[in-house]
Amino acid sequence: MRIETLVVHAGHAPDPATGAVSPPIHLSTNFAREADGSLPHGFLYGRSENPNRLALERGLAPLEGGAVALAFASGMAATTAVFQSLAPGDHVIAPNDAYYGTAKVLREVFRPWGLASSFVNMTDPAEIERALTPRTRLIWVETPSNPTLALTDIAAVARIGRASGALIACDNTWATPLLQRPLDLGADIVMHATTKYLAGHGDVTGGALVLREDGELAARLRLIQTVGGAVPSPFDCWMVHRGIRTLAYRMRGHCDNAERVAAFLATHRAVEVVHYPGLAGDPGHGVGNRQMTRFGGMVSVQIRGGAPAALAVVSRVRLFTRATSLGGPESLIEHRASVEGPGSRTPPGLLRLSVGLEHPDDLIEDLDQALAGPG
Ligand SMILES: Cc1ncc(COP(=O)(O)O)c(C=O)c1O
C-alpha cells in the first residue's frame, strides 16, 4: 500500500466490541485475568502495554518500513531510550547542529553516566570517519537539522556505520516518512518527536522509535520503555494516531507553503541567508534531491543586522504566532538563539519559521510587512 493509504488505515480497524469506527480510548491501568490466570487479550498493566499504544505502534512501523515501533512520552524520551540502550564507556557521534535537547542530554546526562560523545559536521562524512573510535556504537543523524536545515547523506553515514559496526539512528521528525525514509537508506532506528508533524496540531507531546528489525535491540528498547516507564498516556496515543491519518495531505500543504515562503524570503533585501534545502542554491539541495521527495515545512532565515534586527521582525508579525515548536496548522516564528540560551551555536540573526497551512499569500504579506519595519 502507498503511504497515503497507510497513514489512514495502519493500526486502525473497527472496534470488535462495539463496531466503533473511531477507536475507543482505554484508560484502564489493569486488565482482568481468566480463572486459569491467563490474560485473554494479552494486556496486563498500563505501563507495560495498552490497546491505544499498541494500535499507535502498529500504525507507525509500516510508515517507516520498519518491523517494530515503540511509543514514548516525548521525542526526548525516545531519544534518551536509545542512549540508555548503550553501555558506559561506549561512544556516540552526533551532529554539531543537533536539536539542542539531544546535545544537552548527551552532554549533561549521559557524559556523567559514562557515555562518551563527539559532535561533528555531518554534512562531511570524512568528519564522521575521523571521529570513530573502537568504542563507537552509535551514529546519531538528524536531517534536516534543527534549526539550520543542514542535510546529512543518510546512505553515506549508513555505509560508515556498517563498516565500523556502529548503529545508525536518524531523527526523522522534520521530514516525516512522507518525505524521507531513513530505514530504506540503511539506518537501523528512526526517531520521531510525534509532538510535531505526526500528531500535527500542537496539542500533544509524544515520541517514537521505529526499528528495522524486531531483534535484540528492539527487545532492549522495549525493556527500557516499559520498565523505565516514559510511556505516553492512552489519550496521547489516541491523539497521535488520529493526527497521523491526515499526515499526507498536511505535509503537501506545509511543503507548498514553505516553498513559496522560502522563495519570497530569498529575494528580500533585509534577508542575509535562507536555509531551505528546496532552494536550488542551498548547500543541501543535491543530497535532498537524492533522499527526500520534498523539503518540508520548516524554513530558517538570517536577518541582516543580527539579533536586534531579527527580534524586531519577530515583534512586528501579526499572523505568525511567536512561539516555539513546529508542525501544527498555524505558522510559528522563533528567535532560536534566545531560546537556546548561552552556548547556543545558532547564528544570532536566525529566525526559525514553522510554515503552517494558512494561505501562502497571507503568510508572505505578513512577513513582508514585518521585514519592512515600522515604516
Ligand atoms: C528535531 C527534533 N528532535 C527532537 C525533538 C524533541 O521532541 P520533544 O519536544 O517531543 O521531546 C524536537 C523538538 O523540538 C525536534 O525538533
Side-chain angles (χ1 to χ4, degrees):
M1 268 190 282
R2 289 151 187 89
I3 197 154
E4 289 81 354
T5 311
L6 280 175
V7 292
V8 174
H9 290 285
H12 285 279
D15 175 41
T18 61
V21 175
S22 172
I25 302 173
H26 296 276
L27 296 174
S28 186
T29 53
N30 48 2
F31 297 84
R33 291 182 189 273
E34 296 289 16
D36 64 1
S38 64
L39 292 161
H41 304 285
F43 297 108
L44 168 72
Y45 180 57
R47 172 160 46 71
S48 43
E49 61 276 304
N50 165 276
N52 295 102
R53 195 189 329 151
L54 187 65
L56 170 61
E57 291 175 343
R58 287 188 175 155
L60 277 167
L63 304 188
E64 289 286 3
V68 62
L70 302 167
F72 288 85
S74 68
M76 283 310 300
T79 298
T80 295
V82 176
F83 300 145
Q84 283 172 327
S85 74
L86 303 173
D90 286 348
H91 174 242
V92 178
I93 302 177
N96 58 12
D97 61 346
Y99 168 61
Y100 88 112
T102 307
K104 198 173 166 79
V105 83
L106 276 173
R107 287 200 174 99
E108 296 182 24
V109 177
F110 284 98
R111 273 192 191 158
W113 181 78
L115 186 68
S117 45
S118 306
F119 295 87
V120 304
N121 170 11
M122 278 209 184
T123 62
D124 177 8
E127 279 211 24
I128 305 174
E129 307 227 39
R130 279 197 292 276
L132 287 169
T133 77
R135 293 300 301 266
T136 304
R137 296 281 176 271
L138 176 74
I139 305 176
W140 184 271
V141 176
E142 181 183 314
T143 181
S145 70
N146 179 359
T148 51
L149 286 113
L151 296 198
T152 295
D153 184 336
I154 300 170
V157 179
R159 281 194 292 276
I160 297 172
R162 262 195 305 279
S164 63
L167 291 168
I168 307 298
C170 182
D171 183 338
N172 204 28
T173 299
W174 281 28
T176 82
L178 257 300
L179 310 182
Q180 173 175 281
R181 297 228 310 182
L183 300 183
D184 294 347
L185 297 164
D188 302 286
I189 307 171
V190 165
M191 194 289 286
H192 278 286
T194 55
T195 316
K196 317 297 177 184
Y197 290 105
L198 265 59
H201 294 76
D203 51 13
V204 58
T205 303
L209 300 174
V210 184
L211 284 90
R212 172 205 290 286
E213 286 169 22
D214 193 0
E216 241 173 73
L217 177 64
R220 177 136 187 88
L221 289 165
R222 175 78 73 195
L223 177 78
I224 292 166
Q225 177 204 36
T226 56
V227 178
V231 291
S233 75
F235 182 61
D236 288 355
C237 292
W238 187 94
M239 292 281 278
V240 174
H241 205 184
R242 200 255 310 246
I244 288 172
R245 305 193 94 175
T246 54
L247 179 66
Y249 287 85
R250 287 188 286 104
M251 287 315 291
R252 286 186 195 179
H254 286 297
C255 291
D256 287 348
N257 287 358
E259 283 166 13
R260 288 278 315 275
V261 165
F264 160 75
L265 290 170
T267 60
H268 201 287
R269 65 185 187 291
V271 167
E272 203 169 289
V273 191
V274 180
H275 301 274
Y276 188 66
L279 293 172
D282 188 272
H285 191 61
V287 172
N289 270 330
R290 284 205 298 280
Q291 69 185 23
M292 301 179 81
T293 53
R294 291 186 74 183
F295 300 97
M298 298 301 294
V299 177
S300 287
V301 55
Q302 279 171 243
I303 307 297
R304 283 188 207 286
L311 286 164
V313 172
V314 172
S315 74
R316 289 192 290 262
V317 291
R318 297 183 192 133
L319 180 57
F320 275 76
T321 300
R322 288 176 284 274
T324 196
S325 203
L326 58 118
E330 66 288 306
S331 291
L332 307 174
I333 189 164
E334 183 173 54
H335 182 247
R336 279 306 288 178
S338 302
V339 174
E340 293 173 3
S344 163
R345 299 180 70 256
T346 299
L350 184 139
L351 299 177
R352 191 186 76 179
L353 313 182
S354 171
V355 180
L357 299 175
E358 302 92 339
H359 195 288
D361 291 345
D362 291 328
L363 296 175
I364 289 169
E365 279 166 29
D366 189 33
L367 290 171
D368 199 23
Q369 66 78 25
L371 287 164

